[in-house]
């Protein structure tokens, strides 16, 4: 039931988005020196805008991931309730 | 491990665990947690400008999540939020410029000044919070309802400020009050300076200021506070990004951990009374003082023992508010399931708590 009513899809979406943010973190750690060299050479406004943009995109993605995780939990509870009532 | 400079390396797993703890406390108390994050990053070995920039970047993303959630719940006065935001942006610019000016000085002057001002702020705010919490717990009635627990608060200060008809005297329909925009702007600006200079969101000061000085209802103040802070923090991120003060890898990896912690912590808020939230907030502010004090002593004396003490205290004292939140969450869960809870915990649980 949980799988059919979209619980699994919500949980998978949340996990996928979190993985994308974690991948972004890994990218900036692995290419730290390249990123610092680029931001030192680029115009300060561009470096600031890219920094702010990356964090805001990550924030929006995480907000969406959390809402999906919440939906998955709610659907899981509904599913538990249905099972408990014998539906 | 992330190597920031020769001899300065950060353990990402430890930062992730601490980030989750910060998120748990922040989500439960409705603050952004910068007053815990900046000291953690500094104690872990990050120079002050990098710690401030990365902390601000992380909190801007975290606050955006809060703004989206509170907008959905209708706890957002957009007009007041935008005026506060204009103030925090202006203040953040001043704060960033002060920090940038200190960066040019020799030695660890920037680190010492940032830590000194941070400790002073935490002592003042933590002290007043503790006093208020102790007073509220004394007035906790037999029915478990504190006089100062929920609802609107009317102080002499907000009555006075609302009475001053200085142009533009604006009506905020969602908050059901009329006040001069200058006062809202000034409150936002004061918090913005701290956000740009110390890397703290300032929610633990802006929210009480909106309630006790401006006279906004508590529920509206939480969302409005988050919008004001978000704009200020996003602007601070932009400015710190311009100066190369943001470690994006560290900020993003900690964001995932703080996001997960915030999610769990925020879930628990609906099960407890406002007083329980204020207990945790006061404990977290007071516990956040000791680590930076030891780091400051290390910078001033150069004795390695203070550095070790700072690291141990920062991590050990995080356990106090985290275990308080976890205990309250477990008690709330037991209560929802109809199981027995400790009498002290029952007094702190919200009446009619739901799933």
């Amino acid at each position: 039931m949980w799988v059919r009513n979209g619980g699994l899809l919500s949980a998978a979406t949340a996990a996928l988005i979190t993985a994308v943010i974690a991948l972004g973190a890994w990218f900036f750690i692995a290419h730290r020196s390249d990123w610092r060299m680029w931001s030192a050479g680029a115009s300060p406004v561009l470096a600031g805008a890219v920094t702010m943009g990356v964090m805001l995109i990550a924030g929006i993605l995480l907000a969406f991931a959390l809402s999906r995780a919440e939906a998955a939990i709610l659907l899981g509870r509904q599913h538990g309730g249905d099972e408990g009532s014998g539906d | 491990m992330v190597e920031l400079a020769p001899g300065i390396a950060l353990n990402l797993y430890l930062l992730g665990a601490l980030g989750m703890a910060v998120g748990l406390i922040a989500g439960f108390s409705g603050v952004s947690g910068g007053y815990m994050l900046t000291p953690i990053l500094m104690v872990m070995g990050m120079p002050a400008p990098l710690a401030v920039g990365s902390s601000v970047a992380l909190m801007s993303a975290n606050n955006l999540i809060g703004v989206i959630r509170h907008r959905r719940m209708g706890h957002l006065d957009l007009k007041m939020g935008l005026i506060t935001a204009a103030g925090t942006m202006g203040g953040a610019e001043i704060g960033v410029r002060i920090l940038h000016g200190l960066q040019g000085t020799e030695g660890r002057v920037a680190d010492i000044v940032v830590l000194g001002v941070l400790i002073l702020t935490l002592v003042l705010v933590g002290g007043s919070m503790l006093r208020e919490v102790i007073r509220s717990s004394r007035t906790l009635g037999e029915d478990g309802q504190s006089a100062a627990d929920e609802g609107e608060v009317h102080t002499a200060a907000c009555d006075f400020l609302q009475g001053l008809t200085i142009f533009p005297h604006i009506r905020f329909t969602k908050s059901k009050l009329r006040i001069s925009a200058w006062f809202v702007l000034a409150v936002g600006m004061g918090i913005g300076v701290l956000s740009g200079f110390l890397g703290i969101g300032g929610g633990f000061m802006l929210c009480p200021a909106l309630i006790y000085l401006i006279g906004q209802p508590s529920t509206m103040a939480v969302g409005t506070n988050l919008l004001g802070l978000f704009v200020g923090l996003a602007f601070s991120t932009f400015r710190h990004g311009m100066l190369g003060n943001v470690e994006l890898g560290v900020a993003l990896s900690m964001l995932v951990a703080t996001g997960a912690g915030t999610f769990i912590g925020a879930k628990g808020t609906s099960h407890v009374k406002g007083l329980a939230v204020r207990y945790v907030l006061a404990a977290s502010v007071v516990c956040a003082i000791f680590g930076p004090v030891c780091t400051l002593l290390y910078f001033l004396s150069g004795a390695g023992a203070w550095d070790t003490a700072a690291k141990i205290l920062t991590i050990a004292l995080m356990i106090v508010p985290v275990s308080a939140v976890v205990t309250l969450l477990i008690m709330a869960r037991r209560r929802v399931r109809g199981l027995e809870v400790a009498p002290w915990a029952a007094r702190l649980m919200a009446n009619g708590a739901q799933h």
Side-chain angles (χ1 to χ4, degrees), chain B residues 77-146:
Chain B
D77 187 332
L78 197 66
K79 204 194 284 180
M80 189 175 286
L82 289 176
I83 296 173
T84 316
T88 52
M89 262 175 74
E93 177 63 28
I94 297 170
V96 171
R97 278 175 190 250
I98 297 171
L99 185 67
H100 189 55
L102 284 173
Q103 263 181 287
T105 54
E106 280 183 25
R108 304 202 87 150
V109 176
D111 292 353
I112 291 166
V113 174
V114 167
L115 273 177
V117 178
L118 182 68
I119 291 165
L120 190 70
T121 311
L122 289 177
V123 167
L124 288 174
V125 176
S128 65
M129 271 179 180
L130 265 185
R131 215 176 43 233
E132 193 273 326
V133 162
I134 292 167
R135 203 176 50 226
S136 292
S137 58
R138 277 192 193 140
T139 59
L140 198 72
E142 283 181 2
D143 59 345
Q145 190 66 42
S146 165

Side-chain angles (χ1 to χ4, degrees), chain B residues 133-184:
Chain B
V133 162
I134 292 167
R135 203 176 50 226
S136 292
S137 58
R138 277 192 193 140
T139 59
L140 198 72
E142 283 181 2
D143 59 345
Q145 190 66 42
S146 165
D149 200 38
E150 312 291 350
E152 292 177 39
V153 180
H154 272 285
T155 60
C158 76
D159 286 340
F160 173 73
L161 291 179
Q162 286 180 22
L164 291 175
T165 50
I166 302 168
F167 180 81
H169 200 239
I170 299 175
R171 174 178 289 281
F172 297 94
T173 36
K174 276 202 105 173
S175 300
K176 295 176 190 143
L177 64 96
R178 239 181 118 95
I179 195 164
S180 169
W182 292 111
F183 298 128
V184 183

Side-chain angles (χ1 to χ4, degrees), chain A residues 29 32 36 44 48 52 55 70, chain B residues 4 12 234 242 244 247 267:
Chain A
I29 289 168
R32 184 178 174 275
R36 291 206 78 83
M52 188 179 75
M55 290 314 294
E70 205 164 17
Chain B
L4 300 177
L12 273 183
M242 281 175 74
E247 278 296 337
K267 285 252 148 217

Side-chain angles (χ1 to χ4, degrees), chain A residues 29-66:
Chain A
I29 289 168
H31 297 276
R32 184 178 174 275
S33 52
D34 297 331
W35 160 251
R36 291 206 78 83
M37 211 187 299
W38 177 81
S39 59
S43 97
V45 174
L46 182 64
V50 170
T51 307
M52 188 179 75
V54 167
M55 290 314 294
L56 294 191
I57 290 168
I60 292 167
L61 285 176
L62 197 60
F64 186 64
L66 292 178

